[in-house]
Amino acid sequence: AWQWRPVIDGVNMAPITRAVLVAAVALSASSLPCVSGFAPSALGSPRAGMVLTSRLTAPRATAGPLRLGRSGAASRGRVAMAADLDGGVEGMQGAAGTGVKGAVRAVYKFLRPHTIRGTVLASVTGVARALTEVPTSIITWSLLPNAVFGMLALLLGNALIVGINQIYDVDIDKVNKPFLPVAAGELGTKAAWALVLGSGFLGPLIVYKLFSPVIFGLYMFGTTIGVLYSVPPFRLKRFPLAAGLTIACVRGFLLNFGVYYAAREALGLGFAWNPSVTFLARFMTVFAAVIAVTKDLPDIEGDKKFAVETLSTRLGVKPIATAATAVLLLNYAGAVATALLAGPGVYNTAFMAGGHALAGLWLALGFRKFQPDSMASIKGYYKRIWDLFYLEYLMYVFI
């Protein structure tokens, strides 16, 4: 039975939990620089509003020099447009800049920060969940290196998957995401390949050396299907069902199950299903499936241009957003029901039921303002889904 114990074997657990939550809140808050179509411009001055049609208009002239690598004026225009437009879940995206700072920023953009936050939150809260279940006598500082290297391996796997997607989708990204560094010419193809291949080598090596064959197998399966999502001739993204299952499997089930399993393994314990872990794996698999579908909403113009068939291009923006909202609301209703119907002590009933009810309400209120003909509204809607995704991990430690 679940029971919050602030002191375990004489050791106060509250500071550990507070540290985890401070880190998680900071990571989540860093995804919120830009909401409601207003954010600081990457060129130095605030801009409000956005193009209010489903097709983006031509970029405005931009003052000041922009050094964007080898792609010249065309790339300058794309990044100028990106600076004028709210990147939604990506935040306000402008030119990376010059010199070492510009190179670092280009690499950071290449790693897709909003996916990094999700990975780090899953890692931190998954380990915290495992630690709250064991006597602190078996928790030692010697476990820290494995935890750090484990998170690094996950981030390298994330870099492999999102990086190779940018390499093969560069032409589509020039329409849909002109702020991404490969599409903008801020990061050359050779440098992008070096980052991808380096990540694809170091990530598996870390897991192979430090973790069990089971964890290594899960890691390789997740990264493999993540790569096949983008790489020809497979390009699973061409098939809506396969694309959805890929993202749901990797970011929903494998990530949450794998982190918890690895944490218990590092503690010298066998795997045991915990009701909270079971709930999270189920809940986040559904959530990740919704993300897999709604991520195509802001990309509909480029997908149409390059004949990439998605549910959004096939059915339209409004039906997909409506269906996605309905699925998430049912997911939240299921979470509330799970909390209320479980036996005494299984979950923190009041927090779990109340938190998910409020999260569902926030989603519903946001959808009421949704405008399918406004790219600002589409990006804001998709960003809200990611914010709720982050929020779930913040609640996870306490349910």
Side-chain angles (χ1 to χ4, degrees):
W2 187 94
Q3 182 180 10
W4 167 244
R5 293 181 291 167
V7 177
I8 301 179
D9 291 352
V11 178
N12 189 0
M13 294 295 291
I16 298 175
T17 302
R18 280 199 297 270
V20 168
L21 288 178
V22 167
V25 169
L27 285 163
S28 185
S30 67
S31 72
L32 304 172
C34 157
V35 293
S36 303
F38 178 85
S41 169
L43 302 180
S45 60
R47 300 186 188 274
M50 275 196 55
V51 178
L52 297 181
T53 62
S54 60
R55 182 174 296 277
L56 301 181
T57 60
R60 294 183 290 185
T62 305
L66 293 176
R67 183 176 176 274
L68 303 176
R70 297 176 295 174
S71 56
S75 182
R76 182 190 306 272
R78 288 194 298 272
V79 177
M81 178 172 71
D84 276 350
L85 297 181
D86 179 353
V89 71
E90 307 269 1
M92 183 63 74
Q93 299 285 347
T98 60
V100 174
K101 184 178 180 180
V104 171
R105 175 167 164 76
V107 171
Y108 179 66
K109 290 166 62 179
F110 182 70
L111 300 178
R112 306 298 296 278
H114 72 287
T115 63
I116 292 176
R117 284 188 286 269
T119 300
V120 173
L121 279 169
S123 301
V124 172
T125 56
V127 171
R129 176 81 259 176
L131 293 179
T132 60
E133 299 170 2
V134 300
T136 54
S137 58
I138 68 174
I139 303 174
T140 67
W141 285 108
S142 63
L143 298 172
L144 184 60
N146 267 27
V148 172
F149 278 112
M151 183 181 293
L152 176 60
L154 288 174
L155 293 176
L156 288 169
N158 189 83
L160 168 65
I161 293 171
V162 300
I164 207 163
N165 177 262
Q166 290 173 70
I167 292 171
Y168 282 102
D169 277 10
V170 61
D171 290 331
I172 300 175
D173 287 341
K174 288 175 182 178
V175 178
N176 291 335
K177 303 181 183 76
F179 48 79
L180 291 179
V182 179
E186 298 169 331
L187 190 68
T189 303
K190 289 183 179 179
W193 271 114
L195 290 168
V196 164
L197 294 176
S199 299
F201 173 76
L202 290 175
L205 180 63
I206 290 171
V207 179
Y208 179 79
K209 291 291 186 180
L210 297 180
F211 297 94
S212 70
V214 173
I215 297 298
F216 179 71
L218 290 173
Y219 184 88
M220 291 306 299
F221 176 70
T223 52
T224 299
I225 62 175
V227 167
L228 295 181
Y229 176 87
S230 301
V231 173
F234 306 98
R235 276 183 78 77
L236 299 178
K237 65 173 295 177
R238 295 177 300 157
F239 313 104
L241 179 59
L245 289 174
T246 298
I247 295 175
C249 180
V250 173
R251 192 159 284 282
F253 177 76
L254 287 177
L255 178 60
N256 298 293
F257 173 84
V259 167
Y260 182 74
Y261 188 102
R264 288 188 61 88
E265 180 184 272
L267 293 166
L269 303 173
F271 180 77
W273 280 110
N274 175 288
S276 296
V277 178
T278 305
F279 163 77
L280 184 76
R282 183 186 76 238
F283 185 91
M284 293 308 250
T285 297
V286 175
F287 214 122
V290 170
I291 287 177
V293 173
T294 55
K295 73 176 182 57
D296 296 321
L297 292 175
D299 296 345
I300 191 167
E301 292 300 328
D303 289 342
K304 286 181 177 178
K305 181 176 179 179
F306 290 92
V308 176
E309 185 177 357
T310 66
L311 291 176
S312 298
T313 59
R314 183 189 298 176
L315 303 176
V317 170
K318 183 62 180 292
I320 292 300
T322 301
T325 303
V327 170
L328 284 182
L329 288 176
L330 287 173
N331 206 25
Y332 281 118
V336 173
T338 299
L340 296 177
L341 297 176
V346 175
Y347 301 107
N348 185 346
T349 303
F351 182 86
M352 182 173 173
H356 286 93
L358 290 174
L361 177 62
W362 191 57
L363 172 66
L365 292 175
F367 181 69
R368 287 185 62 188
K369 302 176 183 178
F370 181 70
Q371 301 173 31
D373 294 328
S374 164
M375 187 56 70
S377 182
I378 292 171
K379 289 184 176 182
Y381 171 76
Y382 181 54
K383 182 178 183 299
R384 182 170 294 228
I385 289 176
W386 268 98
D387 289 340
L388 286 165
F389 185 82
Y390 301 144
L391 176 63
E392 187 62 30
Y393 283 114
L394 301 184
M395 293 194 291
Y396 172 45
V397 177
F398 296 107
I399 63 174

